[in-house]
């Protein structure tokens, strides 16, 4: 499973690396709403929450589904501006002006993503003009909960009112806590964007993407970027925007909304390992551990080394049967081998096993 971006014919000047204050504000709201996703930010989140005005805190709960799970594409409005080449602004005010450039239909579609799960990668019926789409949207919102239903009704009845509400809310968040946070983060993000831009110019797109994350790979011959994620999607476009985030780890997000410029929103300064296991490798490991015999073998091999014959005797199985199970565990990277004379000794890779839970969680959140 992966997200792929078809970039055949992509010109170098159509690739840009630019920090986005509005995207970082979206990530800040996400981290405040879901601190469990970001254990490294708990101190910051506790500090912000403690001094947050109660009225603003209540407003933050009104539509937190726009940023709780991840955050809405509304925080990346430049991607939706017609023309496909608009860059993020330097300030929250500039980016809110870009948000105002989205049509009501674009705004509503993006805002309904986490309340109604409307079509994302393909062009669906215009929800503001199509009665059946509106009915279906409200039906789906009702299944998500009363807050989502209230929000969706207000949004569909009066988009300008919700647009004004959201703009004022984001301005108030900027004034209350984000301006101070951004003043500390923007220098790191600017430096990272400059570094990635230098790599683009002097080393090429492949080197720049490799520096973004080991989960992002360029196949130059096929003209395709592949992002290793637990989902499947394919995008074709002639532009690409890379947006760094200081608050985002472990999320590596790809905006691929129909008709919008693709955006890769990637964490900088993250504690991720140099080469995290791929989704394919994680799948192999989870599958390997789904068999009771292999779980028992792991228990044995966690204590000491064994040969195939010894394990066969312990489990009352034939040596070929044990070998097949060991082969699955080895292919999954869960056991190691070493030779002693004519014997091959197997042992559990305790480090790989210990990281399995955190690797899996990181893949889910990537």
């Amino acid at each position: 499973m992966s997200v792929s971006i078809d970039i055949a014919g992509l010109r170098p000047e159509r690739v840009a690396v630019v920090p986005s204050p509005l995207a970082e504000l979206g990530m800040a709201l996400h981290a405040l709403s879901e601190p469990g996703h970001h254990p490294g930010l708990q101190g910051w989140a506790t500090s912000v929450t403690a001094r947050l005005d109660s009225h603003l805190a209540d407003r933050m709960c009104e539509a937190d589904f726009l940023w709780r799970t991840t955050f809405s594409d509304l925080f990346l409005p430049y991607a939706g501006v017609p023309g496909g080449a608009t860059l993020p602004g330097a300030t929250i005010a500039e980016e809110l002006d870009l948000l105002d450039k989205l049509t009501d239909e674009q705004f509503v579609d993006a805002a309904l993503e986490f309340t109604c799960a409307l079509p994302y990668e393909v062009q669906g019926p215009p929800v503001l003009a199509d009665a059946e789409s509106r009915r279906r949207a409200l039906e789906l919102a009702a299944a998500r909960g009363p807050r989502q239903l209230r929000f969706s009704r207000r949004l569909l009845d009066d988009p300008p009112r919700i647009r004004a509400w959201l703009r004022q809310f984001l301005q108030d968040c900027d004034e209350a806590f984000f301006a101070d946070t951004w003043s500390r983060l923007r220098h790191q993000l600017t430096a990272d964007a400059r570094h990635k831009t230098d790599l683009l110019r002097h080393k090429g797109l492949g080197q720049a993407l490799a520096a973004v994350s080991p989960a992002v790979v360029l196949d130059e011959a096929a003209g395709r970027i592949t992002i290793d994620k637990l989902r499947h999607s394919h995008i074709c476009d002639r532009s690409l925007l890379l947006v760094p985030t200081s608050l985002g780890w472990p999320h590596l997000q790809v905006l691929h909304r129909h008709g919008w410029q693709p955006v890769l929103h990637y964490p900088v300064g993250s504690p991720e390992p140099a080469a995290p296991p791929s989704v394919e490798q994680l799948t192999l490991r989870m599958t390997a551990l789904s068999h009771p015999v292999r779980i028992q073998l792991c228990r044995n091999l966690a204590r000491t080394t064994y040969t195939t014959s010894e394990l066969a005797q312990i489990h009352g199985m034939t040596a070929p049967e044990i070998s097949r199970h060991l082969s699955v565990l080895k292919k999954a990277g869960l056991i190691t081998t070493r030779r002693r004379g004519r014997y091959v000794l197997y042992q559990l890779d305790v480090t790989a096993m210990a990281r399995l839970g955190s690797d899996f969680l990181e893949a889910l959140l990537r």
Side-chain angles (χ1 to χ4, degrees):
M1 288 181 285
S2 62
V3 174
S4 62
I5 306 175
D6 186 345
I7 57 167
L10 176 68
R11 300 195 306 272
E13 64 269 18
R14 295 300 298 269
V15 182
V17 191
V18 187
S20 166
L22 186 56
E24 200 70 350
L25 174 52
M27 188 55 71
L29 289 168
H30 167 66
L32 290 171
S33 299
E34 280 290 357
H37 285 195
H38 305 272
L41 298 177
Q42 287 187 357
W44 170 83
T46 300
S47 174
V48 170
T49 303
R51 65 176 190 269
L52 204 61
D53 173 79
S54 59
H55 180 56
L56 182 59
D58 289 341
R59 291 161 62 203
M60 198 176 288
C61 294
E62 284 185 47
D64 65 352
F65 37 81
L66 292 178
W67 50 78
R68 178 176 289 276
T69 305
T70 167
F71 67 87
S72 169
D73 292 346
L74 293 175
F75 290 94
L76 304 162
Y78 30 83
V81 174
T86 304
L87 299 179
T91 65
I92 288 290
E94 288 181 19
E95 296 208 297
L96 290 177
D97 288 343
L98 292 176
L99 182 60
D100 289 341
K101 291 182 181 294
L102 299 182
T103 65
D104 280 349
E105 194 68 53
Q106 285 180 301
F107 183 93
V108 169
D109 279 349
L112 288 178
E113 178 185 355
F114 299 123
T115 64
C116 308
L118 293 179
Y120 185 83
E121 299 168 21
V122 297
Q123 181 69 59
V127 69
L128 289 176
D130 185 76
E132 176 58 25
S133 296
R134 176 190 173 95
R135 184 199 65 77
R136 180 60 176 159
L138 292 176
E139 182 180 272
L140 291 169
R144 294 289 179 93
R147 288 192 304 116
Q148 288 88 332
L149 179 58
R150 285 195 300 270
F151 177 84
S152 298
R153 278 179 174 157
R154 291 167 56 202
L155 179 66
L156 291 167
D157 289 342
D158 192 356
R161 180 185 174 191
I162 296 298
R163 296 182 74 147
W165 174 88
L166 181 62
R167 181 176 181 122
Q168 186 61 57
F169 169 73
L170 296 175
Q171 288 174 331
D172 292 345
C173 286
D174 184 43
E175 182 179 341
F177 68 89
F178 184 70
D180 177 62
T181 300
W182 179 248
S183 69
R184 292 183 289 105
L185 299 181
R186 64 186 178 88
H187 302 292
Q188 179 194 26
L189 297 179
T190 300
D192 182 83
R194 188 181 302 115
H195 172 61
K196 299 294 192 301
T197 300
D198 287 342
L199 286 175
L200 275 170
R201 291 173 178 169
H202 303 297
K203 301 288 187 178
L205 181 58
Q207 289 290 321
L209 293 175
V212 163
S213 170
V216 183
V217 177
L218 171 65
D219 184 339
E220 293 192 59
R224 181 181 298 111
I225 299 169
T226 301
I227 302 96
D228 192 42
K229 292 175 72 72
L230 276 166
R231 64 172 303 160
H232 179 73
S233 180
H234 182 76
I235 318 160
C236 295
D237 210 280
R238 297 298 175 266
S239 64
L240 178 65
L241 184 58
L242 308 180
V243 176
T245 168
S246 287
L247 302 176
W249 188 87
H251 303 304
L252 175 64
Q253 303 184 95
V254 187
L255 184 156
H256 49 100
R257 179 177 294 277
H258 176 80
W260 291 41
Q261 170 182 198
V263 179
L264 185 58
H265 190 235
Y266 66 93
V268 302
S270 67
E272 67 178 302
S278 66
V279 169
E280 180 183 6
Q281 187 74 0
L282 286 170
T283 302
L284 283 174
R285 292 180 179 180
M286 302 297 281
T287 302
L289 294 174
S290 67
H291 197 288
V293 171
R294 292 195 283 269
I295 292 177
Q296 286 297 315
L297 289 174
C298 287
R299 182 177 185 275
N300 298 132
L301 298 175
R303 287 161 169 76
T304 187
T305 58
Y306 284 96
T307 65
T308 302
S309 298
E310 289 172 328
L311 290 169
Q313 184 176 358
I314 291 171
H315 292 275
M317 300 173 67
T318 66
E321 287 175 320
I322 290 294
S323 291
R324 283 194 291 271
H325 286 301
L326 291 174
S327 177
V328 173
L329 291 170
K330 186 175 181 181
K331 186 177 180 181
L334 293 174
I335 61 174
T336 60
T337 61
R338 62 184 176 88
R339 183 170 290 278
R340 189 183 65 194
R342 63 189 181 90
Y343 297 102
V344 175
L345 301 177
Y346 295 88
Q347 188 165 30
L348 187 72
D349 188 333
V350 177
T351 301
M353 188 66 76
R355 276 197 53 87
L356 186 57
S358 57
D359 285 341
F360 183 58
L361 179 61
E362 184 177 319
L364 294 177
L365 297 177
R366 185 182 298 159

